[in-house]
Amino acid sequence: MYSNQRRPFEDPLGIFPKALTKLYSAWVSRTYPFARIGHNVSFHFACKVSRQRATRISLGNSVRLLESAWLSVATDDPTGEPTIIEDNCSIGYGSILSGKNRVHLERDILVGQHVVIQDHNHAYEDIDVPIISQGITDGGKIRIGQGSWIGRGAAILCSRGELTIGRHCVVSANSVVMRSIPDYSVVFGTPATIIRQYDPEKRAWRMGQRRNASVAVQEDTAKLSPGGRKAELVEKS
């Protein structure tokens, strides 16, 4: 048993992967043709970024790609919109960001481990052709709002249209998001649903989805109309 109550020193060999990450970060930052790259960007030496497709990637200041993270551009077209990761975002271990059209992470976003964020899907409709040979769909666009947290194992998928996750949202572990989420929401499940939301009027978090005031007025107006009263009476009978 370790009898000394003092905190043990870090493994001195740990300096080598840290040094390798610094060297790799400097190499990628200086030699890859990114659409934009800010200061103090860290690429773990085991992460994956294609040099040939870096022209479709824009990175802000203090962005971190951790071990085995993969920043993918799912097209050879060099002229489209870039995948954008703004300042102070962290992409966790084993996570994948795959953009064909546009994936945009606003600043201060924490992406956990083994997360998938993907704005396209595999085509599968032709039953006479193996799915592996059908390529990918036209896809959509994804935007994740400032200060959000994407939990471990979550998947954010957009096969068409636009999917927006609001500011300061939490996507719980292993959740699958396939539709937009308003600001200040906590979502969970497959498909993800709102389980908690911030109420700006009461300045507090509350369970379930906050009722939209305009929707509530419309519902109350409908209940007061003759048709609404009749429907209400039928329901009660």
Side-chain angles (χ1 to χ4, degrees), residues 152-164:
R152 184 188 189 279
I156 300 171
L157 309 172
C158 181
S159 58
R160 64 176 66 88
E162 295 190 14
L163 187 158
T164 301

Side-chain angles (χ1 to χ4, degrees), residues 140-188:
K141 296 181 180 182
I142 295 174
R143 186 182 186 100
I144 302 178
Q146 179 178 339
S148 293
W149 171 29
I150 315 301
R152 184 188 189 279
I156 300 171
L157 309 172
C158 181
S159 58
R160 64 176 66 88
E162 295 190 14
L163 187 158
T164 301
I165 295 176
R167 294 164 57 94
H168 204 94
C169 286
V170 177
V171 177
S172 301
N174 300 316
S175 297
V176 178
V177 178
M178 300 181 70
R179 60 182 181 180
S180 295
I181 298 167
D183 295 344
Y184 312 113
S185 300
V186 180
V187 300
F188 172 78

Side-chain angles (χ1 to χ4, degrees), residues 173-224:
N174 300 316
S175 297
V176 178
V177 178
M178 300 181 70
R179 60 182 181 180
S180 295
I181 298 167
D183 295 344
Y184 312 113
S185 300
V186 180
V187 300
F188 172 78
T190 305
T193 57
I194 296 174
I195 61 171
R196 204 173 184 210
Q197 200 169 30
Y198 184 75
D199 188 335
E201 296 175 359
K202 297 182 179 180
R203 299 183 62 83
W205 290 86
R206 54 168 291 173
M207 299 303 295
Q209 185 170 3
R210 189 173 66 87
R211 197 179 181 203
N212 186 286
S214 61
V215 172
V217 170
Q218 291 174 8
E219 290 176 352
D220 292 340
T221 303
K223 286 181 180 179
L224 291 173

Side-chain angles (χ1 to χ4, degrees), residues 52-230:
Q52 291 180 322
R53 300 184 180 187
T55 55
R56 291 282 303 271
I57 298 172
S58 174
L59 303 173
N61 300 320
S62 301
V63 171
R64 295 192 305 156
L65 271 71
L66 302 185
E67 183 177 354
S68 299
W70 181 20
L71 188 52
S72 169
V73 176
T75 175
D76 289 325
D77 181 6
T79 61
E81 296 184 77
T83 291
I84 298 174
I85 303 178
E86 294 187 15
D87 297 350
N88 199 36
C89 288
S90 178
I91 313 302
Y93 176 93
S95 290
I96 300 171
L97 271 70
S98 184
K100 178 184 179 182
N101 301 308
R102 186 179 182 114
V103 174
H104 186 166
L105 273 61
E106 295 182 2
R107 59 176 298 127
D108 303 318
I109 290 175
L110 176 62
V111 177
Q113 304 88 359
H114 301 289
V115 170
V116 176
I117 302 173
Q118 184 171 292
D119 70 353
H120 58 278
N121 207 340
H122 279 284
Y124 62 87
E125 287 83 359
D126 190 341
I127 61 171
D128 297 320
V129 178
I131 293 174
I132 194 172
S133 302
Q134 292 191 41
I136 61 177
T137 62
D138 292 337
K141 296 181 180 182
I142 295 174
R143 186 182 186 100
I144 302 178
Q146 179 178 339
S148 293
W149 171 29
I150 315 301
R152 184 188 189 279
I156 300 171
L157 309 172
C158 181
S159 58
R160 64 176 66 88
E162 295 190 14
L163 187 158
T164 301
I165 295 176
R167 294 164 57 94
H168 204 94
C169 286
V170 177
V171 177
S172 301
N174 300 316
S175 297
V176 178
V177 178
M178 300 181 70
R179 60 182 181 180
S180 295
I181 298 167
D183 295 344
Y184 312 113
S185 300
V186 180
V187 300
F188 172 78
T190 305
T193 57
I194 296 174
I195 61 171
R196 204 173 184 210
Q197 200 169 30
Y198 184 75
D199 188 335
E201 296 175 359
K202 297 182 179 180
R203 299 183 62 83
W205 290 86
R206 54 168 291 173
M207 299 303 295
Q209 185 170 3
R210 189 173 66 87
R211 197 179 181 203
N212 186 286
S214 61
V215 172
V217 170
Q218 291 174 8
E219 290 176 352
D220 292 340
T221 303
K223 286 181 180 179
L224 291 173
S225 67
R229 288 198 195 98
K230 188 181 293 185

